[in-house]
Amino acid sequence: MSVTPAALGRAVPYLRCPVCGGGLRLTGPGVECERGHSFDRARHGQLTLLGPRGRRFPGDSADQVLARERVLASGAFDAVAEALVRAAGDALAGVGHPVILDAGAGTGFYLDRVVDGLGDALGIGTELSVAAARRLARVNPAVAALVADTWDGLPLADGCLDLVQVVFAPRNAAEFARVLRPGGTLVVAVPGPGHLEPLRTEAGMLTPAADKAGRLDADLAGPFALDRVRVVDAVVGVPASVAVDLALMGPSGVHLDRAGVSGRVGPAERPVRIHVEVRSYRRSLQE
Ligand SMILES: C[S@@+](CC[C@H](N)C(=O)[O-])C[C@H]1O[C@@H](n2cnc3c(N)ncnc32)[C@H](O)[C@@H]1O
């Protein structure tokens, strides 16, 4: 007999059918809407809610996900997690049982920390990568894992969320505005110009677009107003193996190979700059 993870059961009232937009109800193997569109839960616990166009892009590969998991386990990004926990705590002070979404949540590392930091929250994580969603499904009993495409319309009801966070993942401003309640908070983590240097240059990784923060503000203008910026800027020492994983876990991983990066990185522990902006935006009060 399959048992629905508790968080998925709690999340169902906030979900909507990716085909017709109707509400969903739990069935034995998954969920279905009134029109009979049904979606099964996978063995690992994640629920796939892709629309009629299906999966047009696989998301991160299993190798990228494994590399990311090792990097995050090393503690190199703990300061980013702490900034996200503070951003959520400030935004949700006094809000009982908040419901939060992490869009493009990866392995769920940050969502786990944020949900634990809040104590009584329900976390919903969306991912396109099946390898990531499998980990997300097990990261925290208060997290429901969905396979969904941020660009294809989120399978979530209008105005149902208290907070959306997006960490180095695709942003769909119109969808985030739709699913957030008026006055809700969007927290976005973006790399600063010095992020991952000097490794980035030495390993041949892609350079983040210039003025990412300014462009982000412009993209979000309208429904969102900037509330607060937290800057994480620290140099951490990482073993050579983690430095290689750092180079391979992100977009650069698609065009770099492990042997080549290992040769450029060398065998010694290395200093790496973690330079990240955690930007909090308030959703306007108008619908
Ligand atoms: C750079 S990783 C960041 C993962 C996670 N937020 C973290 O920081 O650990 C970007 C993630 O976004 C996912 N992704 C890419 N395109 C997506 C889309 N259209 N919808 C949902 N997830 C997507 C990838 O599979 C990947 O896990």
Side-chain angles (χ1 to χ4, degrees), residues 57 59-60 68 72 104-106 110 127-129 148-151 167-170:
F57 167 68
D60 276 10
R68 182 171 299 281
L72 294 172
Y110 297 110
E127 247 306 326
L128 205 45
S129 155
D149 186 339
T150 301
W151 292 126
V167 186
F168 313 132

Side-chain angles (χ1 to χ4, degrees), residues 140-154:
N140 187 309
V143 167
L146 306 179
V147 175
D149 186 339
T150 301
W151 292 126
D152 212 13
L154 294 165

Side-chain angles (χ1 to χ4, degrees), residues 198-232:
L199 175 70
R200 181 179 293 284
T201 302
E202 289 164 15
M205 296 162 71
L206 302 171
T207 308
D211 190 26
K212 247 192 146 134
R215 286 174 36 186
L216 177 61
D217 290 356
D219 287 351
L220 297 175
F224 293 104
L226 184 63
D227 187 33
R228 176 148 182 199
V229 180
R230 290 172 170 82
V231 178
V232 176

